[in-house]
C-alpha cells in the first residue's frame, strides 16, 4: 500500500540522516550547546516553578473546594506542564537554528551552495 511505502521511506531517510550526522563529528559541536542550554533551563524552571508556583496553585485549588490531596496532585502536574512548555519553547528556538546550521554545513560540504552561487 501507499502508506506502507511512506513509512518505509520515512524510516530509511531518518536512518540515513542519523548516519550522515554520526560520521561528521564537526556537526556534533553544533548540537551540544543547545542540549546543555535546554538541560539548564529545564532544571532552572523546575526549581523556580516548584518553589514559587506550586504553593499558590495548590492553595487556589483548595480555595475552590478541592480536596487537599487532589489540589496538591493537580498543582504538581500543572507545574510539570508549565516546565514542559518552557522547555519546548527553548528547545524549538535553539534547535531551529541548529537545523539550519547543520543543513548549511552539509550543503557546503557537498558543494551545493557553491553551485548555487555560480548560477
Amino acid at each position: 500500500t501507499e502508506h506502507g511505502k511512506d513509512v518505509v521511506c520515512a524510516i530509511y531517510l531518518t536512518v540515513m540522516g542519523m548516519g550522515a550526522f554520526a560520521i561528521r563529528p564537526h556537526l556534533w559541536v553544533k548540537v551540544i550547546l543547545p542540549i546543555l542550554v535546554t538541560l539548564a533551563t529545564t532544571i532552572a524552571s523546575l526549581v523556580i516553578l516548584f518553589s514559587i508556583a506550586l504553593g499558590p496553585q495548590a492553595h487556589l485549588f483548595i480555595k475552590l473546594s478541592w480536596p487537599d490531596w487532589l489540589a496538591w496532585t493537580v498543582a504538581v502536574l500543572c507545574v510539570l506542564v508549565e516546565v514542559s512548555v518552557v522547555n519546548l519553547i527553548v528547545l524549538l528556538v535553539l534547535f531551529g537554528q541548529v537545523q539550519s546550521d547543520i543543513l548549511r554545513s552539509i550543503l557546503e560540504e557537498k558543494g551545493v551552495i557553491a553551485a548555487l552561487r555560480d548560477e
Side-chain angles (χ1 to χ4, degrees):
T1 67
E2 191 66 31
H3 178 68
K5 290 178 185 176
D6 290 344
V7 170
V8 170
C9 182
I11 292 171
Y12 172 75
L13 291 175
T14 301
V15 170
M16 292 299 294
M18 290 186 331
F21 181 75
I23 62 172
R24 292 176 174 88
H26 66 278
L27 296 178
W28 301 353
V29 177
K30 296 178 187 279
V31 176
I32 290 172
L33 182 62
I35 290 173
L36 293 177
V37 171
T38 302
L39 180 63
T41 57
T42 300
I43 291 169
S45 297
L46 281 168
V47 170
I48 292 168
L49 288 176
F50 268 110
S51 62
I52 294 175
L54 179 63
Q57 288 182 32
H59 293 300
L60 174 66
F61 292 133
I62 290 170
K63 191 186 267 188
L64 294 172
S65 302
W66 289 29
D68 285 355
W69 67 271
L70 183 60
W72 283 99
T73 303
V74 171
V76 167
L77 293 174
C78 285
V79 168
L80 291 175
V81 167
E82 293 160 3
V83 169
S84 298
V85 168
V86 169
N87 192 23
L88 180 64
I89 291 169
V90 169
L91 187 73
L92 289 174
V93 168
L94 292 177
F95 275 100
Q97 181 61 40
V98 169
Q99 282 178 316
S100 297
D101 290 347
I102 289 174
L103 179 62
R104 176 174 291 280
S105 181
I106 296 292
L107 292 176
E108 284 175 351
E109 184 180 303
K110 301 232 181 229
V112 173
I113 292 181
L116 289 174
R117 285 186 187 135
D118 291 342
E119 285 185 12

